[in-house]
Amino acid sequence: MKIEDHIAFTANHKNWKVGDKLLAMDDQQIAHFLAMISNTVTLKLPEYLTEIMNVAGIMSLAEEMAEKDLWELLKTLKSPGTSRKLNPMIFEENKKLKKHLLNVAKALLAREALSKKVSINYPEGVITELKTTLIYHDEHINFTAKNGSWIVVKRLIIDNKTPMADVARILASINETTLSKIPLYGKIDLDGIRKWFEDIKKAKSEAEIKTLVEKFLHIPIENYAPNEFKDHAKIYALRVALEKVGLAIDIPAKPIEKYLEKR
């Protein structure tokens, strides 16, 4: 049976029952739809980390840090002192496993703290209701896409033995897929954005971090994306800038996967 070109996301777990499906496969509509899915999964993701780390404590720390100027916030997020504060918030004694989760906690902290200073969510909003048919009666997370040669299936059937961290893992993995495709369909010039920052290899000193922040704040973003996707491009510029400091705002799937494999 031939599968029609589409993008679909559904989530059915406890009181979270949402979903939508895109069939009009215009490039701009695809980019907007993927952005909405990204917003949806990243907003929900922290709830599924509460069994392995003190999410409320991390949120509180983010609030405290967000009072700093942007350059100072980046410096603080990167500091060893911040890692020392996060370590007790991770519910794991094994040092190797704890290291995996520390990477997750750092990304969550950076995302929450930076969200108070700059835009980190796309303008499309989130999926808040069920607008398509659930193809599974079981509780699940499901993301499928087909557009020409691009085919992806990310799916988790949830039962009473499923670790909540595994739900976080699938949500993070779905987000990573959306992040890789939005620039393609939204015609965002990632190479151009990277070139804007290329004179900064790594920002370590206070002066380098300040220069990096200035470059981010004054990037001529209209040069790197159509008007419809300027807000999206600015978030990608933030990601590129954060790479220079060794930070990220996207919770990574791989460390959660490694933790679950070895726990």
Side-chain angles (χ1 to χ4, degrees):
M1 184 178 73
K2 185 177 179 181
I3 300 173
E4 63 185 348
D5 281 9
H6 76 282
I7 300 172
F9 172 78
T10 57
N12 179 20
H13 184 227
K14 297 182 179 178
N15 62 348
W16 188 35
K17 187 176 290 189
V18 300
D20 207 349
K21 185 174 186 177
L22 181 72
L23 293 173
M25 303 302 280
D26 166 79
D27 281 1
Q28 290 186 337
Q29 290 189 60
I30 291 173
H32 287 305
F33 192 68
L34 291 174
M36 185 165 59
I37 292 173
S38 176
N39 286 342
T40 302
V41 298
T42 54
L43 180 67
K44 195 71 177 177
L45 209 160
E47 293 180 29
Y48 291 100
L49 295 172
T50 54
E51 289 185 357
I52 56 176
M53 62 185 66
N54 181 0
V55 170
I58 294 171
M59 299 289 193
S60 178
L61 182 58
E63 287 276 358
E64 178 187 321
M65 287 184 171
E67 295 177 5
K68 301 175 183 288
D69 288 338
L70 185 54
W71 72 267
E72 192 177 4
L73 173 57
L74 297 189
K75 181 182 175 183
T76 304
L77 286 168
K78 185 58 180 171
S79 71
T82 295
S83 294
R84 287 193 292 269
K85 287 181 180 179
L86 285 173
N87 258 310
M89 298 187 192
I90 297 170
F91 309 145
E92 177 58 56
E93 297 301 321
N94 182 290
K95 288 185 179 179
K96 288 185 178 179
L97 295 183
K98 193 162 194 166
K99 190 174 180 180
H100 292 313
L101 296 183
L102 181 59
N103 291 329
V104 177
K106 284 179 177 177
L108 176 60
L109 177 64
R111 182 173 190 85
E112 292 302 319
L114 284 164
S115 71
K116 313 291 191 298
K117 311 293 287 186
V118 295
S119 294
I120 62 168
N121 295 309
Y122 303 118
E124 285 79 4
V126 299
I127 302 171
T128 57
E129 55 187 304
L130 187 60
K131 296 181 178 179
T132 187
T133 304
L134 293 174
I135 59 174
Y136 299 101
H137 294 296
D138 298 315
E139 293 191 316
H140 71 274
I141 307 292
N142 185 64
F143 172 76
T144 60
K146 181 183 180 299
N147 185 35
S149 61
W150 178 41
I151 300 174
V152 62
V153 177
K154 292 181 182 287
R155 181 176 299 138
L156 178 68
I157 303 298
I158 304 169
D159 59 28
N160 56 13
K161 295 181 180 178
T162 305
M164 292 301 94
D166 204 15
V167 182
R169 175 198 60 79
I170 193 76
L171 294 176
S173 180
I174 291 168
N175 184 51
E176 288 171 353
T177 298
T178 66
L179 297 185
S180 70
K181 293 296 182 179
I182 291 168
L184 174 66
Y185 291 107
K187 305 296 186 293
I188 296 170
D189 181 8
L190 278 183
D191 288 339
I193 291 172
R194 291 191 182 100
K195 285 181 181 177
W196 174 256
F197 291 100
E198 69 181 354
D199 58 326
I200 302 174
K201 302 304 178 187
K202 287 187 178 179
K204 295 182 179 180
S205 70
E206 182 175 306
E208 289 168 334
I209 294 173
K210 285 181 176 179
T211 299
L212 179 68
V213 168
E214 284 301 305
K215 285 192 75 73
F216 165 69
L217 293 175
H218 295 98
I219 183 172
I221 206 66
E222 65 277 2
N223 294 346
Y224 305 109
N227 189 59
E228 192 170 344
F229 291 100
K230 285 196 300 184
D231 291 339
H232 306 69
K234 194 68 183 283
I235 299 171
Y236 280 91
L238 175 64
R239 291 188 174 100
V240 173
L242 290 176
E243 287 172 9
K244 305 287 185 177
V245 200
L247 295 171
I249 54 168
D250 300 296
I251 293 170
K254 200 67 178 177
I256 304 175
E257 184 180 326
K258 288 181 178 178
Y259 164 76
L260 289 168
E261 285 173 356
K262 298 176 181 178
R263 64 194 279 267

